Amino acid sequence: MATKSFVSLIALAAGVEAGAIKQRATSTQPDWFQTSPNNYAGTTATGAAPFLAATNPAPFGEATYVPNAPLETSEPISGANGRNIFHLMGDLSPYFSPSEGFGVKEYPLPKGANITHMHMLQRHGSRYPSSSEGLDTWGTGIQKAIANGAVFKGELEFLNDWSYQLGKEILVPIGRQELFNSGILNYYNYGHLYDNSSKIVVRTTLQSRMLESAENFLAGFFGLDWSKNANILATIDSATTGESACANEASSMFANIAEPISTWQKTYLKDRTEKLRRLTGNYNWTVTDTYHAQSLCPYETISLGYSEFCQLFNYEEWEGFAYLMDLEFAGLSGFMSPTGRAQGIAWVEEFLARVEGHYVDVPAKLTGANMTLDTNPVTFPLDQSLYLEFTHDANIVSVLTAFGLTQFDDFLPATHRPKNQQFSASKLVPFAGRLNIEIITAPHQVSTKRSSKAGSKSIDYVSGTGETKYVHFIQNQRTIPLHSSFSVCEYREDGWCELSTFLKAQKHSLADAQYPYACSGNWTVKGWGSVRDGVPA
Ligand SMILES: *[C@@H]1O[C@H](CO)[C@@H](O)[C@H](O)[C@H]1NC(C)=O
Ligand SMILES: *[C@@H]1O[C@H](CO)[C@@H](O)[C@H](O)[C@H]1NC(C)=O
Ligand SMILES: *[C@@H]1O[C@H](CO)[C@@H](O)[C@H](O)[C@H]1NC(C)=O
Ligand SMILES: *[C@@H]1O[C@H](CO)[C@@H](O)[C@H](O)[C@H]1NC(C)=O
Ligand SMILES: *[C@@H]1O[C@H](CO)[C@@H](O)[C@H](O)[C@H]1NC(C)=O
């Protein structure tokens, strides 16, 4: 989805050299600028590692809306009535936890039960546009038109003095903050699971924004000295080489979504395009221009703090934008993608191997996993309680698909938004979106009906039953109810599933992904909607 940014690597190398020269030049002086080791830090006693996920008796009652900060997002949007358009930007939404959840409420951990493991899959934070999006080219085109005498009027008047000022691919400041905040949040929730007698292996990629996301997260989780606690295993990102393990992925992904994207763009932006056209003089303003203007709202806001493009669109048009992202992700790596399950199956198999306590034992040709890494105890340790992993939006969607979370397999038509839509790119993969999977051991079966009163933790057990393990999926701090996707998982108010039942259900995931056929088979992309189960039709 992105091309390599060599520039940042060169800049990094240049920075290192400059630093080395400066140090040599000042070597006759004491080292004024050294802060470590530090013998004068004063008292440094640390307290117990928290475990809020286990000790939190919330929810307590009405949630209070907390405005976004530091971005300016309070501009008036026609028809919004207090609703936040920054929750309607698909994968370009700054991080948020969806207030409506995924179908169940959250409950406190019953007294006596333990969270024993947490597996996290975390998306990088807010970034500049990808090289492939064409926004820079659009900006140049607008400036050229102005130089040639185009004059924009009315709501578009600001364009006469506007220029494109965004970078490419790397994290913007709020992206750093999102990951730092996620590290802090995850520390409060799961810090107790870190065993300080050993360093954990954390996985990310060498792509600039991926590596920096992992580093910012770890700085939040452990503090700036995080390298004492974690080793980063950073592999080459296929997004920077264009070489995916799944050969058909790149060729099919964009072919699959081109038609629905174009149809929906022309539909939801028709009226707005006609209105804006009247303000553009001799510049031939098309639906594509309207779409680029709309995309610049999230990108300028996260990059510069505020954007004049946002108010060009009403709330319904932002709902249309969100739906465009839903079409895109369903078709790129969700249930409407022919390689949706295949793209995510390697991580699913890695997760299952860790939960079952063995190395990945499925041949690489069935998953695309890197077996050199996945069978080595140094690079694939099995004894961690915390697995922290960093990835991209499309990968998280593909993992949910490969698990078989059919709650999110709705058919998304190109011509209109369906009712009761479950699959939402904004809710699932905003910037810094994350999946936390908890493994829970309870002394007894936990009642499927949960007591929601704080302080009544002890009445949630089924009497006469023994120790029972559960799995709990949490996407962006909201529970994904496993019974909605797996008929073998009994209906539970808390959305958990018994671990043994869940593992049995997962026995099918590998075959269901059809990795060899999906990734290397000779099939063609058929019309939109022909793919409904994340494998070729
Ligand atoms: C680990 O934590 C314990 C208890 O909190 C503390 O006594 C010990 O010094 C810590 N060890 C390291 C290596 O930080
Ligand atoms: C596995 O990962 C290692 C380390 O990144 C790399 O050198 C090797 O080429 C990879 N192997 C495959 C089959 O991708
Ligand atoms: C404006 O652009 C549209 C779409 O590219 C094209 O069909 C149309 O002919 C253009 N009109 C003019 C006046 O150039
Ligand atoms: C939970 O952890 C505590 C402390 O390690 C332990 O005593 C207890 O037996 C555990 N409970 C279960 C159900 O595993
Ligand atoms: C793939 O299938 C098409 C149509 O059935 C056929 O024309 C083509 O030769 C096949 N390609 C390969 C590499 O088998």
Side-chain angles (χ1 to χ4, degrees):
M1 290 187 73
T3 56
K4 185 174 177 90
S5 169
F6 289 103
V7 180
S8 60
L9 288 177
I10 294 163
L12 194 67
V16 168
E17 276 185 24
I21 290 160
K22 210 191 270 167
Q23 228 171 16
R24 271 199 302 277
T26 58
S27 62
T28 54
Q29 291 235 14
D31 194 346
W32 298 114
F33 306 120
Q34 183 176 318
T35 56
S36 172
N38 177 0
N39 298 325
Y40 300 99
T43 306
T44 58
T46 186
F51 205 19
L52 187 60
T55 57
N56 189 356
F60 297 105
E62 297 279 320
T64 310
Y65 176 66
V66 179
N68 289 38
L71 304 182
E72 176 50 76
T73 59
S74 65
E75 58 265 57
I77 299 296
S78 169
N81 300 324
R83 293 171 294 180
N84 188 345
I85 61 160
F86 288 87
H87 294 182
L88 294 173
M89 295 178 177
D91 69 322
L92 307 184
S93 307
Y95 179 74
F96 72 101
S97 176
S99 57
E100 66 276 39
F102 294 104
V104 289
K105 293 184 186 157
E106 284 70 22
Y107 295 86
L109 192 72
K111 195 174 168 63
N114 298 325
I115 297 170
T116 59
H117 297 83
M118 193 281 286
H119 303 252
M120 181 192 77
L121 199 52
Q122 161 85 54
R123 187 187 175 205
H124 61 75
S126 293
R127 54 155 171 80
Y128 285 124
S130 306
S131 305
S132 58
E133 288 172 76
L135 291 172
D136 49 345
T137 317
W138 185 78
T140 310
I142 291 292
Q143 295 228 288
K144 220 182 259 171
I146 289 167
N148 290 336
V151 178
F152 294 93
K153 294 180 297 187
E155 292 169 288
L156 286 179
E157 202 178 336
F158 74 94
L159 277 182
N160 298 321
D161 304 312
W162 172 85
S163 65
Y164 183 81
Q165 298 179 53
L166 312 184
K168 280 185 186 171
E169 308 264 351
I170 63 170
L171 289 186
V172 293
I174 190 128
R176 294 202 298 272
Q177 184 183 41
E178 286 164 335
L179 268 293
F180 186 76
N181 285 354
S182 181
I184 288 174
L185 177 84
N186 274 281
Y187 187 75
Y188 276 107
N189 281 338
Y190 303 110
H192 183 86
L193 291 177
Y194 174 69
D195 167 7
N196 71 359
S197 66
S198 65
K199 277 170 116 173
I200 56 170
V201 174
V202 167
R203 298 195 303 180
T204 187
T205 77
L206 289 164
Q207 189 185 32
S208 166
R209 69 172 177 270
M210 292 296 304
L211 186 55
E212 287 187 12
S213 287
E215 289 168 344
N216 279 286
F217 179 99
L218 292 171
F221 196 96
F222 292 114
L224 292 175
D225 264 349
W226 59 264
S227 62
K228 289 185 182 143
N229 309 103
N231 286 318
I232 292 182
L233 176 66
T235 50
I236 295 170
D237 200 311
S238 64
T240 61
T241 60
E243 288 165 19
S244 166
C246 181
N248 285 341
E249 178 189 324
S251 56
S252 71
M253 275 166 81
F254 292 99
N256 187 41
I257 60 169
E259 189 270 324
I261 290 289
S262 163
T263 301
W264 179 242
Q265 258 180 17
K266 284 181 199 144
T267 306
Y268 89 94
L269 290 176
K270 183 169 182 289
D271 292 353
R272 182 59 53 192
T273 301
E274 275 165 23
K275 284 185 188 135
L276 293 177
R277 262 182 93 82
R278 295 186 207 124
L279 308 173
T280 63
N282 65 2
Y283 179 86
N284 185 10
W285 185 277
T286 66
V287 165
T288 307
D289 293 288
T290 311
Y291 178 66
H292 282 146
Q294 195 172 25
S295 299
L296 278 165
C297 162
Y299 277 127
E300 283 195 341
T301 302
I302 59 173
S303 306
L304 306 169
Y306 175 70
S307 174
E308 291 190 88
F309 287 99
C310 303
Q311 290 180 63
L312 294 177
F313 301 89
N314 63 31
Y315 191 79
E316 196 184 340
E317 287 157 347
W318 284 111
E319 291 179 313
F321 187 84
Y323 189 60
L324 193 77
M325 301 302 175
D326 301 339
L327 288 169
E328 187 174 322
F329 280 91
L332 287 177
S333 59
F335 283 98
M336 296 187 76
S337 161
T339 57
R341 284 180 183 258
Q343 289 175 51
I345 194 62
W347 197 84
V348 167
E349 291 302 318
E350 288 173 344
F351 165 81
L352 296 174
R354 286 164 170 165
V355 170
E356 292 168 354
H358 57 77
Y359 296 110
V360 174
D361 56 3
V362 178
K365 64 175 195 284
L366 297 184
T367 66
N370 185 320
M371 297 303 279
T372 311
L373 300 175
D374 282 7
T375 55
N376 182 339
V378 176
T379 51
F380 196 79
L382 293 169
D383 57 353
Q384 296 182 180
S385 305
L386 272 177
Y387 294 94
L388 309 175
E389 317 240 305
F390 297 83
T391 191
H392 295 277
D393 44 15
N395 296 97
I396 293 181
V397 170
S398 72
V399 163
L400 300 177
T401 307
F403 269 123
L405 292 174
T406 52
Q407 169 174 2
F408 303 115
D409 75 355
D410 10 12
F411 171 62
L412 304 182
T415 49
H416 64 277
R417 295 195 288 123
K419 287 205 166 58
N420 303 320
Q421 194 185 326
Q422 297 291 306
F423 180 84
S424 158
S426 312
K427 286 168 66 176
L428 292 172
V429 286
F431 283 124
R434 72 218 52 158
L435 169 65
N436 292 92
I437 307 177
E438 295 175 347
I439 306 296
I440 296 163
T441 301
H444 309 282
Q445 269 177 27
V446 179
S447 169
T448 58
K449 280 198 181 308
R450 297 293 305 274
S451 161
S452 51
K453 262 188 273 154
S456 57
K457 285 175 158 196
S458 56
I459 64 172
D460 279 336
Y461 291 117
V462 179
S463 60
T465 58
E467 185 181 284
T468 311
K469 292 185 185 218
Y470 295 92
V471 59
H472 180 200
F473 273 54
I474 305 158
Q475 188 75 24
N476 303 331
Q477 303 173 256
R478 301 309 305 266
T479 296
I480 295 179
L482 294 171
H483 57 248
S484 294
S485 297
F486 303 103
S487 55
V488 291
C489 295
E490 64 183 341
Y491 175 85
R492 299 188 53 86
E493 285 182 346
D494 55 23
W496 304 357
C497 183
E498 275 196 34
L499 181 63
S500 58
T501 307
F502 181 78
L503 292 177
K504 226 176 280 164
Q506 288 304 319
K507 291 270 178 266
H508 303 286
S509 289
L510 182 65
D512 290 349
Q514 298 185 30
Y515 186 91
Y517 180 60
C519 290
S520 319
N522 185 12
W523 47 266
T524 50
V525 175
K526 304 217 175 71
W528 181 247
S530 61
V531 172
R532 297 291 303 277
D533 194 34
V535 290

